[in-house]
Amino acid sequence: MGKLIVISHPEVVVTPGSPITEWGLSDLGLERAKTFARSSVMSSVGAIWSSCERKALETASVLARMHNLKPNSDHRLGENDRSATGFLPIGQFEAAADAFFAAPGSSFRGWETANAAQKRIVEAVTSIVKVHDCKDLGLVTHGAVGTLLWCHLSGEKIDRRFDQPGQGHYWSADLENLRPDFSWRSIT
């Protein structure tokens, strides 16, 4: 049976005046995606799915192109909806992310709750896995929802201590039982 490989997009160009969903990969992020595409982790991928956010679509495009695949997308793989606050400077964002994980049933200033985001990504992944063949399946998503998915599949309570240490990480699970093999690892 193949592997589920959950990948968070690498570094982006932060553009405070535009919606977060429209931020694209930085030069460093693009290079890291290309390096990961050539890695042994990606060598048996038979399909790639992505969030509909630009940074994830760009990452998926790099990974798919390297393996002669056409990436698919599903809006349910998107990051937790933070549009109520838009861009937050790094210190404020980190405090907000702490609150998001610490109180999964509560909304931070209008953000989607962690519980709702977890339910959404679990449903998305479950439906994608059901129609996938036995080759490895790459899912390009985002740090917070990737962590929420990992927590659900690992049987852990939602907790930020399981979050990725930075952009551009991955974890894998067996496609048959969806039990994670390990927590976040750097793509390069």
Side-chain angles (χ1 to χ4, degrees):
M1 190 58 150
K3 292 288 185 185
L4 169 68
I5 305 165
V6 177
I7 307 147
S8 70
H9 63 80
E11 291 78 7
V12 300
V13 176
V14 175
T15 314
S18 67
I20 297 164
T21 57
E22 295 304 314
W23 293 358
L25 291 180
S26 68
D27 290 342
L28 174 61
L30 183 59
E31 286 308 310
R32 290 186 69 213
K34 288 177 182 177
T35 299
F36 188 61
R38 293 186 295 268
S39 74
S40 62
V41 175
M42 295 297 294
S43 64
S44 296
V45 169
I48 295 178
W49 283 79
S50 169
S51 148
C52 295
E53 295 186 30
R54 181 177 164 196
K55 52 196 161 273
L57 289 169
E58 289 178 0
T59 303
S61 178
V62 169
L63 300 177
R65 188 171 39 251
M66 194 70 71
H67 298 279
N68 297 314
L69 299 170
K70 182 180 177 192
N72 303 289
S73 61
D74 187 319
H75 72 279
R76 297 173 299 171
L77 297 173
E79 185 61 288
N80 59 305
D81 183 354
R82 306 187 310 260
S83 58
T85 60
F87 171 78
L88 294 173
I90 191 67
Q92 290 178 32
F93 173 77
E94 291 300 326
D98 287 344
F100 170 79
F101 280 100
S106 299
S107 172
F108 173 82
R109 293 177 45 194
W111 283 17
E112 177 182 29
T113 68
N115 285 342
Q118 184 181 58
K119 181 178 187 280
R120 172 176 49 79
I121 194 159
V122 167
E123 288 173 354
V125 171
T126 301
S127 67
I128 292 167
V129 167
K130 281 182 183 175
V131 297
H132 181 69
D133 66 15
C134 63
K135 285 188 156 193
D136 292 351
L137 169 63
L139 294 180
V140 181
T141 187
H142 308 271
V145 292
T147 299
L148 296 172
L149 177 63
W150 186 92
C151 288
H152 175 81
L153 298 177
S154 297
E156 296 282 355
K157 292 174 84 173
I158 293 173
D159 192 311
R160 192 164 190 205
R161 69 187 169 105
F162 301 115
D163 198 8
Q164 67 174 354
Q167 296 175 349
H169 283 75
Y170 78 99
W171 56 266
S172 69
D174 189 287
L175 275 170
E176 190 170 344
N177 62 23
L178 294 180
R179 186 89 177 145
D181 300 318
F182 48 81
S183 61
W184 291 109
R185 293 181 179 173
S186 179
I187 61 172
T188 56

